Amino acid sequence: MRVMCAVVFFIFTFCYLYFYQADVLAMAQHVLSGGKTHYNPFVGAVLITIVLFLLQLLVYAITRLYKRAHALTYFPSLLALLVLTSVGCDFDQSPHLGFWVWLGPCLLLLFGWVAWNMYQYQPYEPKITELGIFSKIMWTNMLTLFIMFLMVGLLSNHNDVFHYRMRMENLMSKGEFGKALEVGKRSLETDSSLVMLRAFALAQEGKLGEQLFEYPIVGGSEALRPDGVTTRSFMYPQLEILRFASSAKAADDYRLCAYLLEKDLNRFVASVVKCYNLESGDLPKHYREALTLYMHKSPQPLVHFVDEVLEADYADMRKLERNTPHDVMRYNALHDAYSNTYWYYFKYAKN
């Protein structure tokens, strides 16, 4: 039973650290070291797991709980794991443990009281008559462990958007912008900082005007650049993002996308004709969508632009709108079919 508890603890702790919390721990180490050290996910997961297991051995040596309460000897280790991975989303501005400063010691005192009582009761427990993987003592301890594992998962930092951001920053720091763009791509959850990171990665790949509106967007044009408060990065240098956004390579696309995010088609059209040849096949998708929309909305357009494929798609979208009178059904139908277009953003997104 004790061996099985140890094996399950090792598997859970390593997988939890390596596959789920690695990027959050990388951020925490980056903040605490002032960016001077780098977190290695594999080495970090192995070392932390070993240290926490040594802590369990120490607790076991003190409490001598070896029967139905043996799994409780892992409580201090799992509490330490929880505290380690519960860093807040504002850790860069407030690098402290928060309420765990007082709650952690209180829980350890409670554990000490419970362990003492279980030790006193242990001689009076029924004699162990069943052994093996299907024995009652085995599954009593397994259930206790799984409950503690569940509490670790529920009370640690499990904010999906925050995890996406940390994962993206880790990949971007390695220059892997293409992989960064795949992080959380199918999720509808986002915030302005995640929008900023995706815009930067897209600009690095030369796809800002091609794919920006394929992701959920909040914050309008202000989300394109970090402001250090509501829109910021933790590990990737914000000055590097600002410098690149103002460079000759990316400045035009950032400006054009800012006009699109503000739904200012007139300024977009006035600017896009100076940056792109409208007859060229290299004109990014979202710019072509915006020009198609502009031709339909402007009574006296300043430019002439026709894309037969987009015209047909836009007509299909308008037909779907007209044929779906119920607001919720129309919204869902259009989201499923056109959420990756600028037309959908222009019509249904709030600035």
Side-chain angles (χ1 to χ4, degrees):
M1 178 270 295
R2 293 195 293 271
V3 171
M4 281 297 298
C5 284
V7 170
V8 171
F9 173 80
F10 265 98
I11 293 174
F12 170 80
T13 305
F14 177 81
C15 292
Y16 175 76
L17 291 169
Y18 184 73
F19 294 107
Y20 186 55
Q21 295 286 3
D23 301 301
V24 173
L25 290 175
M27 177 277 296
Q29 179 167 321
H30 178 86
V31 171
L32 293 175
S33 68
K36 296 179 180 178
T37 60
H38 176 71
Y39 179 79
N40 184 293
F42 180 80
V43 174
V46 170
L47 290 179
I48 294 173
T49 301
I50 291 174
V51 170
L52 293 180
F53 182 68
L54 292 176
L55 175 60
Q56 184 274 333
L57 292 179
L58 176 62
V59 173
Y60 174 66
I62 296 173
T63 62
R64 303 306 300 173
L65 296 176
Y66 63 91
K67 290 186 177 180
R68 289 170 177 81
H70 175 72
L72 289 177
T73 61
Y74 288 88
F75 179 83
S77 298
L78 291 172
L79 178 61
L81 179 64
L82 172 58
V83 174
L84 188 65
T85 57
S86 63
V87 295
C89 299
D90 59 347
F91 190 75
D92 59 332
Q93 299 175 347
S94 302
H96 54 73
L97 297 178
F99 60 84
W100 289 112
V101 172
W102 60 266
L103 183 57
C106 290
L107 290 174
L108 287 176
L109 288 175
L110 178 62
F111 163 75
W113 179 79
V114 172
W116 169 254
N117 282 276
M118 295 303 298
Y119 177 75
Q120 296 297 317
Y121 175 73
Q122 196 166 238
Y124 305 102
E125 287 188 37
K127 186 177 180 180
I128 300 173
T129 58
E130 297 180 0
L131 297 174
I133 194 170
F134 298 109
S135 62
K136 184 176 180 180
I137 190 174
M138 174 72 75
W139 290 105
T140 299
N141 281 280
M142 287 295 106
L143 179 60
T144 303
L145 270 181
F146 289 147
I147 290 174
M148 291 190 291
F149 292 162
L150 180 63
M151 296 308 297
V152 170
L154 291 175
L155 298 178
S156 64
N157 189 323
H158 54 271
N159 184 306
D160 289 341
V161 173
F162 186 71
H163 277 262
Y164 297 155
R165 287 166 51 188
M166 296 306 100
R167 182 60 180 158
M168 283 195 69
E169 289 191 40
N170 248 334
L171 291 170
M172 287 162 53
S173 298
K174 302 174 185 177
E176 299 178 359
F177 296 102
K179 289 183 179 180
L181 289 170
E182 296 298 317
V183 176
K185 190 172 183 179
R186 294 178 177 82
S187 173
L188 298 179
E189 298 183 24
T190 191
D191 63 10
S192 58
S193 297
L194 185 56
V195 172
M196 177 267 296
L197 293 173
R198 283 171 170 164
F200 176 70
L202 285 169
Q204 287 281 356
E205 296 285 290
K207 299 177 180 178
L208 186 58
E210 186 73 21
Q211 297 180 6
L212 177 62
F213 294 96
E214 295 181 2
Y215 298 90
I217 294 175
V218 297
S221 61
E222 294 181 358
L224 290 177
R225 292 176 172 82
D227 59 16
V229 183
T230 60
T231 305
R232 67 188 193 275
S233 60
F234 283 70
M235 294 177 284
Y236 199 88
Q238 295 183 122
L239 289 177
E240 173 63 20
I241 297 175
L242 290 170
R243 184 199 64 78
F244 182 78
S246 302
S247 66
K249 178 181 178 181
D252 289 341
D253 284 323
Y254 265 90
R255 183 176 64 258
L256 292 171
C257 286
Y259 293 149
L260 293 182
L261 288 169
E262 295 304 318
K263 303 179 183 180
D264 191 340
L265 292 178
N266 290 326
R267 295 180 70 184
F268 166 77
V269 171
S271 185
V272 73
V273 295
K274 300 176 182 178
C275 306
Y276 286 91
N277 177 5
L278 302 190
E279 303 299 326
S280 170
D282 296 331
L283 189 64
K285 181 185 72 172
H286 295 316
Y287 299 169
R288 290 184 281 117
E289 292 171 344
L291 286 167
T292 300
L293 183 64
Y294 171 78
M295 295 300 296
H296 283 268
K297 286 190 168 293
S298 178
Q300 295 180 331
L302 299 176
V303 298
H304 179 73
F305 178 83
V306 177
D307 185 310
E308 294 182 359
V309 175
L310 290 182
E311 285 288 342
D313 288 343
Y314 185 70
D316 290 340
M317 177 178 171
R318 295 291 294 154
K319 182 179 179 180
L320 182 60
E321 284 182 308
R322 292 191 300 269
N323 294 339
T324 315
H326 192 276
D327 290 345
V328 175
M329 293 179 62
R330 180 171 62 251
Y331 177 85
N332 291 334
L334 289 170
H335 182 273
D336 292 341
Y338 296 99
S339 61
N340 63 344
T341 67
Y342 178 66
W343 306 325
Y344 181 85
Y345 174 85
F346 186 90
K347 184 68 179 291
Y348 296 99
K350 295 181 179 180
N351 291 68

